[in-house]
Amino acid sequence: MNDYNEIYNATAALPSHAAADTAEKPAEVFEKKEQILSFLCMAAGFLFVRFCCYHVTGLLTTVLFCLMITMYMIYLKRSGKAFAKHHKALAGVLYIFSAVYTITANHLLTFLCTVFLIVVSALLVYAVCQTDSNTFRWLPFTMEKALFSHPFGSYQKCASAALSGMREKNGLKNILHIILGLIITIPLTAIVAVLLSRADEGVAKMLNSLIFEPSFDSLILIPHAAFGLLIGFYIFGMLYSNVKTPKCVEDSACEHRILKMRIMPNAMVYAAVTPICILYVLFFVSQFQYFLGGFTGQLSDGYTYAEYARKGFFELCQVCCINFVVIGVMSFLAKHCGKERPLILRIYTLFLSVSS
């Protein structure tokens, strides 16, 4: 009896947090929409690897991105999230940019479009799930939350949601029914594929690239499936974290991080940027006639109007990117910036902006 009392007293003397640690955490319950979403995300990840990373096919890549954006919107709507007008406008921009793959086969443009769609889609999901209207005030920190913190915060939960759906009553049975239905329809699908291939050469080439590949090329599907699974986990984590455990960007924390980054005296910043500004002035003076050639009708030798416009456009894009980086570095590293921005810093910023 004395031993029992000693054990009871020792247990009662434990701190509350120690008792809480010994208790098992309840298993997370996933709703039906999350279970379905997990399988859709894994399928989307595999298709993303096939038609965005490995083989950009034009129309199929466009359709894939449109379906992924629609999946995001439906899940957010089913989760009770409201779409403001600017959210709908941003979604429309994503649909429009998805059509780029059907317009051009330029690898640089399709790559930039893919990066744009990924980043803006994550920002759209983040913005819809936030109640703060200043979502994009701290854009770098918002991108950190939308692209890294939220997706990887629930990265492993895609597999948990899929397994929970299979463990439920009739869950595994429904999956088997789907597989059997696909097996039953193989003969009819094959007949339709043959007929369409004979009717159109483009369909024949598409089916050959998708299905009738040589056996040694088909082995590439294994790493594609593995990498696609990881991307599917990322997509699910992005959606699930924003809906279930959204974490907003705090103004005070962002201001504190920016203040810690301001380590360069303003004089050092001016000295670093001045040579670039001088080079811009010299360049403008030497190329003044070339810049106005399109308006005066006097082009350089060997240039057509189309080549003149194309080269000028890409050169302008390069200069804009460089100036954007320089202005960003000035704004983040200069000790005296923000609300107390000096006049000289404003002049440098204005000059670089005009130079773009």
Side-chain angles (χ1 to χ4, degrees):
M1 181 64 69
N2 293 333
D3 294 338
Y4 174 79
N5 290 333
E6 291 177 0
I7 295 173
Y8 177 79
N9 293 333
T11 305
L14 286 174
S16 58
H17 63 82
D21 292 338
T22 58
E24 294 185 0
K25 294 182 179 180
E28 190 167 5
V29 179
F30 296 95
E31 300 179 23
K32 180 64 68 176
K33 62 176 182 289
E34 275 89 26
Q35 297 169 0
I36 297 174
L37 179 68
S38 63
F39 291 103
L40 293 177
C41 288
M42 289 186 284
F46 171 74
L47 295 175
F48 179 87
V49 174
R50 287 290 294 170
F51 300 126
C52 294
C53 302
Y54 174 70
H55 183 54
V56 179
T57 59
L59 180 60
L60 287 178
T61 307
T62 295
V63 172
L64 173 61
F65 271 110
C66 289
L67 291 176
M68 291 174 64
I69 297 167
T70 304
M71 179 180 70
Y72 301 162
M73 304 290 282
I74 292 175
Y75 176 70
L76 294 175
K77 190 68 175 178
R78 293 292 300 273
S79 300
K81 302 300 179 181
F83 294 91
K85 291 182 179 180
H86 61 278
H87 297 150
K88 297 177 182 178
L90 194 56
V93 171
L94 291 174
Y95 282 115
I96 292 173
F97 271 83
S98 298
V100 169
Y101 303 97
T102 61
I103 299 173
T104 179
N106 185 282
H107 295 294
L108 177 60
L109 292 180
T110 54
F111 170 75
L112 293 176
C113 183
T114 301
V115 173
F116 174 81
L117 290 172
I118 293 172
V119 173
V120 178
S121 296
L123 289 174
L124 174 62
V125 174
Y126 178 88
V128 171
C129 297
Q130 297 295 326
T131 56
D132 186 7
S133 59
N134 296 325
T135 303
F136 298 104
R137 180 183 178 186
W138 310 101
L139 186 58
F141 305 116
T142 301
M143 292 176 63
E144 178 188 356
K145 288 280 187 184
L147 292 170
F148 300 103
S149 178
H150 280 159
F152 291 108
S154 300
Y155 191 77
Q156 76 285 357
K157 293 184 180 179
C158 181
S160 302
L163 292 175
S164 69
M166 295 175 63
R167 292 194 191 102
E168 283 189 356
K169 183 180 179 181
N170 296 329
L172 184 58
K173 185 187 293 184
N174 290 333
I175 295 175
L176 293 175
H177 288 168
I178 293 173
I179 295 174
L180 289 175
L182 293 174
I183 294 174
I184 292 172
T185 194
I186 287 177
L188 180 61
T189 305
I191 295 172
V192 174
V194 171
L195 293 175
L196 292 177
S197 300
R198 291 177 179 176
D200 185 77
E201 185 178 354
V203 175
K205 291 181 179 179
M206 187 181 299
L207 291 176
N208 286 331
S209 64
L210 293 176
I211 303 173
F212 305 110
E213 292 183 348
S215 58
F216 59 88
D217 285 343
S218 300
L219 294 176
I220 199 66
L221 293 177
I222 298 175
H224 286 179
F227 188 45
L229 198 67
L230 300 179
I231 293 179
F233 285 9
Y234 175 90
I235 297 173
F236 181 88
M238 175 187 68
L239 294 168
Y240 187 81
S241 290
N242 278 288
V243 170
K244 298 297 182 180
T245 56
K247 299 177 182 178
C248 62
V249 176
E250 299 180 357
D251 292 347
S252 58
C254 294
E255 290 175 355
H256 180 69
R257 291 176 64 178
I258 290 178
L259 288 175
K260 290 177 64 176
M261 295 172 63
R262 292 176 180 168
I263 57 176
M264 291 181 63
N266 282 46
M268 186 184 299
V269 174
Y270 305 151
V273 178
T274 299
I276 301 176
C277 296
I278 294 175
L279 286 176
Y280 276 138
V281 172
L282 295 176
F283 181 76
F284 291 149
V285 172
S286 63
Q287 298 291 320
F288 184 76
Q289 183 177 359
Y290 172 74
F291 289 146
L292 300 179
F295 300 100
T296 61
Q298 299 177 357
L299 299 179
S300 301
D301 294 337
Y303 278 95
T304 63
Y305 282 100
E307 189 175 0
Y308 172 84
R310 182 171 60 252
K311 185 178 180 181
F313 172 77
F314 285 105
E315 288 178 349
L316 180 62
C317 289
Q318 294 174 6
V319 172
C320 287
C321 292
I322 294 173
N323 289 347
F324 177 79
V325 172
V326 173
I327 293 173
V329 170
M330 289 171 53
S331 301
F332 276 107
L333 298 184
K335 278 189 175 181
H336 300 287
C337 194
K339 296 180 180 179
E340 56 179 11
R341 178 176 302 200
L343 178 61
I344 300 177
L345 186 59
R346 295 180 183 179
I347 294 174
Y348 274 100
T349 303
L350 178 61
F351 179 82
L352 291 172
S353 301
V354 173
S355 301
S356 301

